[in-house]
Amino acid sequence: MTKESAVLAKVLGGAGRIVGGTLRSAVTDVATTAAHLAELTTDRIARRDPDDAVLRVAVVILSNADGPLCQPDDVTPALDRAQQIFRSQAGIRVRPVSIRVVSGPAPEHALRPRANQKLLLDDLLGRTEWYRRFEPGESGVGSPVTVVVVEEIAGRTTGCSLGMTADWVVCQASLFDKNNPHTYDESVLAHELGHALNLPHHKDNKNLMFPSSSPPGQVRGTELQGWQKLVLGGNRHVIPGLRSRTEGKRPPAAAAGDPAKTAASE
């Protein structure tokens, strides 16, 4: 096989993988969103409150020649922040299923990926295989999103996701360095998880999906709009919350300033 034929075969193979995966993801997301809408309607009619949904996240920390790019404890605050944002805004708990440190040095293209359309091109050419090899190997509803911690992302980007075409995102290690206030940003991991769950950018800087965030003084907000919450709740990666078998009217709200009723209603 000639070099040109090998490249063509790689491109065709990558295109087939991406298109096939994207179509499967789109079909699953449409089905889960429809089911989510039906559940929300039923919940409103029955006046019941479902438990929180769950988003499972696997973290992979790469290493360079000097060792791991960061430690698991460095990433934990950003995971906790993502949990706080998603749970308060959309009723979704972020559950880390693993935080793995890859001991051997990763190749240069994995440590320093390109971003956006160029990262999609690299995925097409098979250059992102290093990320895919560490995915948990699950598929379908409830499969985890993998967060890969890399050394540096090309340009001024500190995180990148390919949306529904990939089940992984990349985040730059400097985001988790508390000793550097000019790079430390807990919002980026949650932002990239939002992209992985099909959320596009938003023009409001108070919104979690605002494109840019510049610590320490201009960190993006954490708000989510109603349609964004609907998209998140209907994504294939999100495990729906359990519905209580007990239905009917909710208990009356406690009167303001009534400690006994307030305590009973919590």
Side-chain angles (χ1 to χ4, degrees):
M1 180 182 291
T2 64
K3 183 177 180 180
E4 291 77 9
S5 298
V7 172
L8 179 60
K10 182 177 291 187
V11 170
L12 291 176
R17 172 178 52 79
I18 291 173
V19 172
T22 301
L23 288 175
R24 287 191 297 272
S25 297
V27 169
T28 305
D29 284 343
V30 169
T32 53
T33 298
H36 182 56
L37 281 170
E39 289 172 345
L40 290 177
T41 302
T42 303
D43 290 340
R44 177 165 294 185
I45 294 173
R47 295 186 179 182
R48 65 184 181 188
D49 292 318
D51 293 338
D52 289 333
V54 174
L55 170 64
R56 300 163 68 220
V57 176
V59 179
V60 176
I61 301 172
L62 300 185
S63 296
N64 58 18
D66 297 324
L69 299 177
C70 66
Q71 296 299 323
D73 287 346
D74 298 327
V75 183
T76 300
L79 289 169
D80 292 342
R81 182 61 171 154
Q83 152 93 334
Q84 181 186 31
I85 295 170
F86 278 77
R87 191 173 190 184
S88 64
Q89 293 288 320
I92 299 173
R93 288 189 293 121
V94 175
R95 178 185 296 168
V97 294
S98 64
I99 302 180
R100 175 181 179 181
V101 177
V102 181
S103 57
E108 186 70 12
H109 67 267
L111 288 171
R112 298 173 178 270
R114 300 192 293 178
N116 304 320
Q117 291 88 348
K118 292 182 179 179
L119 183 60
L120 180 60
L121 176 61
D122 288 339
D123 193 34
L124 179 67
L125 295 174
R127 296 172 183 165
T128 59
E129 187 275 335
W130 190 265
Y131 306 145
R132 296 195 303 275
R133 70 169 59 181
F134 297 112
E135 291 179 328
E138 303 178 36
S139 60
V141 177
S143 58
V145 175
T146 300
V147 177
V148 184
V149 180
V150 300
E151 186 169 4
E152 186 178 14
I153 302 175
R156 301 180 63 184
T157 304
T158 54
C160 191
S161 166
L162 296 181
M164 70 169 61
T165 66
D167 293 333
W168 50 266
V169 303
V170 291
C171 287
Q172 192 165 289
S174 60
L175 293 169
F176 311 113
D177 183 5
K178 283 189 174 182
N179 294 321
N180 190 342
H182 296 287
T183 63
Y184 184 77
D185 191 344
E186 295 178 357
S187 76
V188 175
L189 190 149
H191 176 90
E192 297 307 330
L193 289 177
H195 280 316
L197 271 57
N198 299 342
L199 289 185
H201 280 145
H202 195 282
K203 63 182 180 180
D204 186 353
N205 63 4
K206 296 179 181 179
N207 196 279
L208 177 64
M209 301 313 296
F210 187 69
S212 63
S213 185
S214 302
Q218 295 181 322
V219 176
R220 66 168 60 85
T222 60
E223 295 178 0
L224 290 171
Q225 294 187 345
W227 68 268
Q228 292 174 308
K229 300 174 186 179
L230 181 62
V231 171
L232 292 175
N235 189 271
R236 67 192 181 282
H237 291 293
V238 175
I239 303 172
L242 296 176
R243 264 62 185 176
S244 172
R245 294 183 180 180
T246 303
E247 299 179 3
K249 293 184 178 180
R250 295 175 180 170
D258 188 336
K261 288 186 178 180
T262 301
S265 65
E266 290 179 349

